[in-house]
Amino acid sequence: MTYFFAALFFTLLGVAYVKGYDLVKSRSPEHLVHFYLVMATIRMLLVVTVVGLYVFFAPNREDAIHFAVIILIMYALMMVVTLTLRH
């Protein structure tokens, strides 16, 4: 169940990036660099917050480590996919 919510979390972050990219590109393409930097910061802060909260409330250390590794792999994959789709 935890991994389902993690996948949903990254799906929502990816959709927000793609929709935001399309919106900024159509209205003011010169600000795409700023949009990317802001979204990268927001995504990084959200991922660190989710991992931190899970580690704090995890039932044991082994689960926390597995969750953190899965989230970091999913974060890297999301970055590759969103950059590949839009650049």
Side-chain angles (χ1 to χ4, degrees):
M1 189 66 160
T2 303
Y3 299 114
F4 170 75
F5 285 121
L8 180 65
F9 172 69
F10 280 107
T11 302
L12 292 175
L13 284 177
V15 168
Y17 174 78
V18 170
K19 294 297 181 184
Y21 181 91
D22 289 341
L23 181 71
V24 172
K25 188 174 181 179
S26 68
R27 294 194 180 187
S28 82
E30 67 273 4
H31 292 294
L32 280 174
V33 173
H34 302 277
F35 169 75
Y36 177 74
L37 291 174
V38 169
M39 278 301 291
T41 303
I42 289 170
R43 288 188 291 192
M44 185 173 37
L45 289 173
L46 285 173
V47 167
V48 168
T49 302
V50 166
V51 169
L53 287 172
Y54 188 84
V55 167
F56 185 72
F57 292 113
N60 60 33
R61 185 173 180 205
E62 187 175 314
D63 285 345
I65 291 171
H66 287 253
F67 183 77
V69 168
I70 292 294
I71 290 292
L72 293 176
I73 290 170
M74 290 174 75
Y75 178 74
L77 184 64
M78 179 192 62
M79 294 298 288
V80 168
V81 168
T82 54
L83 288 174
T84 303
L85 287 175
R86 295 294 160 195
H87 291 288

